[in-house]
Amino acid sequence: MNINDHAINRVAAVTLGCKLNYSETSMILDELCKQGWTLSTIKEGAELIIIHTCAVTKQAEQKCRQKIRGIIRNNPSSRIAVIGCYAQLYPEVLSEINGIDAILGSNDKFDIPCYSKISKKTIHPPLVKVTPASTFDIVYPGYSLPASLSIERTRAFLKIQDGCDYGCSYCTIPLIRGVSRSIPAEQIVERASFLASSGYREIVLTGVNTGDYHYGNLGLCDLLRMLEKVNISRIRISSIEPDIVNDELIMLVAASKKIVPHFHIPLQSGSDRILKAMRRRYDTVLYRDKVLQSVERIEGCAVGADVMVGYPGETEEDFQLMYRFIELLPLAGLHVFSCSLRPGTTLARQVENRERKPVPPAEITRRHRELSELGRMKEAHFKSHFIGKECMVLFEASKLLANGIQQCSGYTRNYLRVLVESSDRLKLQAFRGKELPVMIDSLDDDLNLKGRVLS
Ligand code: SF4
């Protein structure tokens, strides 16, 4: 194949960050294909490479810069478009990186014709299109590519909402993605039906504040009821704020055959003093109540949580309060983050004005380690309940192990990863994309459940 034959319209993309970013990258690629571009991968070679960035933390930005520089170095003749959150927040920083040909912000990334105008910039500054997030009033869709075009063939991401009105003190997302806006329910249902008919078995609803879905007088529960009519096996909510988990939602999930018994509910801190400083919309009493209601009223419900350590002003007492609070909660796992000061946030101003004192890095490291260990204990405890039980597993990947054994992996409805192994390669490869009953036999050191398919 001579690259010049196809060089003009092959496009590849790399996505960093959240499920929302992945859904949007796929939508952009889908639209570019409709304009005559050919989907490719960086490995196969592409005339245009899109890098979808994340700026939720300093570490995320650093990762983006490394990825960008690496791609530029290895693909000198490709045009490079850097899009999304980092481009929205720091276009001037990205403009300094030689080899970037275009920088498109959070909404400008959806300007599909713009991609054809991107040319290889040797001396000139890159094409920069970054509209202020304060002006965002349109919400663009986001959805996985049709299963036939996608590596991932079982679980599809579907964007239902963008932006956020919550204004948590440490968060820069509203400054990057604007106010909360929801996609029309009919459009979401139509896209969900298309994804289901293209072969996906599970749809993961995603957004910035996914639970804050509102379209006209329709809320999240109304949308979920509409999606239950779609011919799909599973509907998963990617993440939901504590104040949005209410009786109506819990009863709907408890009674549903399709909406899976799994909530990811960000906690951030287990100290009411710190939750107040973070401007979160709940306290520990409310959070505990939502978790207990969910696990008591929804069979097999798994609740995972995000927690943050090192919030400026967090004392050892606050940390111990958080540790004990989480210890007593029936959580299925933790995502532990270290607080990262973000520009333009209330917290950054407070630290700058010495109203809040940063926590020493060594302390943050210790707290992160201790909470991560607690998270592992909670995960192991929750998963051990399923040993000896039968679970429905949607298999999505299989690989050949060094010892010649075939291994197939997938997730239960409450989002537990399960491995099945056998020397019968063909049999296991055929499991991909199927939801099958599995008897859970054990839990390995990596906290993977292991089992065997019940025929
Ligand atoms: S709820 Fe808070 S942390 Fe989450 S996106 Fe909105 S402002 Fe950020």
Side-chain angles (χ1 to χ4, degrees):
M1 175 175 63
N2 175 339
I3 188 167
N4 294 324
D5 295 348
H6 299 284
I8 293 172
N9 69 357
R10 289 182 312 162
V11 58
V14 174
T15 304
L16 296 113
C18 60
K19 295 182 179 74
L20 181 58
N21 266 12
Y22 281 88
S23 73
E24 293 172 336
T25 303
S26 303
M27 175 274 201
I28 292 167
L29 291 174
D30 191 41
E31 288 299 317
L32 286 172
C33 290
K34 289 178 192 156
Q35 307 278 325
W37 290 81
T38 305
L39 205 50
S40 181
T41 64
I42 293 182
K43 200 155 168 251
E44 291 160 352
E47 208 278 321
L48 172 65
I49 299 176
I50 298 172
I51 306 169
H52 200 167
T53 60
C54 172
V56 73
T57 62
K58 270 204 201 80
Q59 295 77 5
E61 289 174 10
Q62 194 183 7
K63 227 170 131 190
C64 290
R65 289 194 298 276
Q66 283 164 355
K67 181 66 79 175
I68 292 165
R69 290 202 171 95
I71 288 172
I72 290 171
R73 200 170 39 250
N74 300 328
N75 303 274
S77 63
S78 299
R79 289 174 246 166
I80 307 292
V82 175
I83 71 170
C85 296
Y86 195 11
Q88 180 73 28
L89 201 59
Y90 287 128
E92 67 291 344
V93 173
L94 291 170
S95 298
E96 298 300 313
I97 301 179
N98 274 337
I100 295 179
D101 303 301
I103 296 168
L104 306 178
S106 299
N107 262 16
D108 306 281
K109 67 187 175 191
F110 297 111
D111 178 356
I112 301 302
C114 179
Y115 290 92
S116 305
K117 299 185 194 120
I118 300 172
S119 60
K120 192 73 212 150
K121 303 263 186 231
T122 42
I123 46 176
H124 300 297
L127 164 72
V128 179
K129 286 191 74 188
V130 177
T131 309
S134 55
T135 67
F136 293 172
D137 54 5
I138 297 172
V139 54
Y140 293 90
Y143 44 78
S144 291
L145 286 165
S148 55
L149 289 177
S150 169
I151 301 162
E152 169 57 65
R153 301 241 169 104
T154 50
R155 240 165 347 124
F157 297 144
L158 182 55
K159 174 181 175 178
I160 66 171
Q161 182 272 352
D162 202 345
C164 186
D165 302 336
Y166 276 29
C168 302
S169 64
Y170 52 85
C171 184
T172 196
I173 299 172
L175 305 174
I176 293 174
R177 284 183 170 268
V179 295
S180 183
R181 323 179 292 289
S182 297
I183 291 174
E186 310 74 44
Q187 274 183 32
I188 296 170
V189 173
E190 197 185 316
R191 179 53 59 174
S193 305
F194 175 81
L195 291 167
S197 61
S198 85
Y200 288 105
R201 306 301 303 276
E202 176 173 319
I203 285 179
V204 182
L205 305 181
T206 185
V208 169
N209 191 342
T210 313
D212 189 35
Y213 179 83
H214 274 98
Y215 188 72
N217 54 13
L218 298 177
L220 179 66
C221 289
D222 304 305
L223 176 66
L224 287 169
R225 286 188 199 97
M226 292 166 74
L227 287 169
E228 279 192 300
K229 300 193 178 83
V230 172
N231 178 22
I232 191 89
S233 307
R234 299 174 169 193
I235 301 165
R236 192 177 303 279
I237 304 167
S238 58
S239 174
I240 187 162
E241 288 295 315
D243 59 306
I244 295 180
V245 179
N246 57 22
D247 276 353
E248 184 189 6
L249 180 67
I250 290 173
M251 285 197 299
L252 177 61
V253 177
S256 178
K257 296 245 174 319
K258 295 186 176 182
I259 309 167
V260 293
H262 166 229
F263 288 149
H264 190 79
I265 313 178
L267 169 63
Q268 306 306 13
S269 178
S271 151
D272 285 331
R273 198 178 72 86
I274 296 295
L275 285 175
K276 196 157 182 276
M278 288 174 164
R279 299 185 181 175
R280 298 289 283 160
R281 296 186 174 199
Y282 54 90
D283 61 12
T284 52
V285 172
L286 182 146
Y287 190 90
R288 179 189 302 114
D289 177 56
K290 299 300 171 107
V291 172
L292 294 180
Q293 293 274 344
S294 301
V295 295
E296 282 160 16
R297 295 164 61 190
I298 305 172
E299 195 191 336
C301 187
V303 178
D306 293 336
V307 285
M308 184 189 288
V309 292
Y311 187 85
E314 180 188 74
T315 62
E316 181 57 20
E317 191 198 345
D318 291 315
F319 177 68
Q320 290 307 328
L321 273 173
M322 165 144 70
Y323 192 98
R324 283 200 298 281
F325 178 71
I326 294 169
E327 218 172 9
L328 298 172
L329 274 180
L331 293 173
L334 295 180
H335 288 175
V336 184
F337 300 89
S338 299
C339 184
S340 172
L341 275 189
R342 307 306 300 137
T345 59
T346 306
L347 178 61
R349 277 193 298 280
Q350 290 171 336
V351 170
E352 215 175 293
N353 305 339
R354 299 181 186 289
E355 293 163 32
R356 303 199 72 83
K357 195 161 169 278
V359 176
E363 222 10 68
I364 295 179
T365 307
R366 180 187 64 84
R367 292 174 189 175
H368 191 289
R369 189 184 61 249
E370 288 188 18
L371 266 192
S372 299
E373 281 160 13
L374 176 61
R376 273 184 66 80
M377 287 193 280
K378 300 219 63 94
E379 188 179 341
H381 179 72
F382 183 80
K383 286 181 172 177
S384 63
H385 285 117
F386 294 87
I387 296 174
K389 297 229 172 85
E390 181 183 324
C391 294
M392 292 302 289
V393 175
L394 178 54
F395 288 100
E396 51 185 59
S398 75
K399 65 178 181 184
L400 187 63
L401 302 178
N403 58 6
I405 294 291
Q406 189 74 18
Q407 181 187 76
C408 207
S409 62
Y411 286 87
T412 62
R413 299 176 74 80
N414 58 0
Y415 209 51
L416 306 181
R417 190 161 183 268
V418 175
L419 304 177
V420 167
E421 293 171 358
S422 160
S423 54
D424 186 339
R425 286 177 62 186
L426 292 178
K427 183 177 158 204
L428 253 63
Q429 283 169 350
F431 288 169
R432 266 195 81 185
K434 294 199 176 76
E435 188 174 18
L436 300 167
V438 172
M439 177 51 71
I440 307 295
D441 296 322
S442 62
L443 181 65
D444 71 12
D445 297 342
D446 298 327
L447 299 187
N448 291 310
L449 290 168
K450 290 197 167 179
R452 56 205 144 82
V453 171
L454 300 173
S455 35

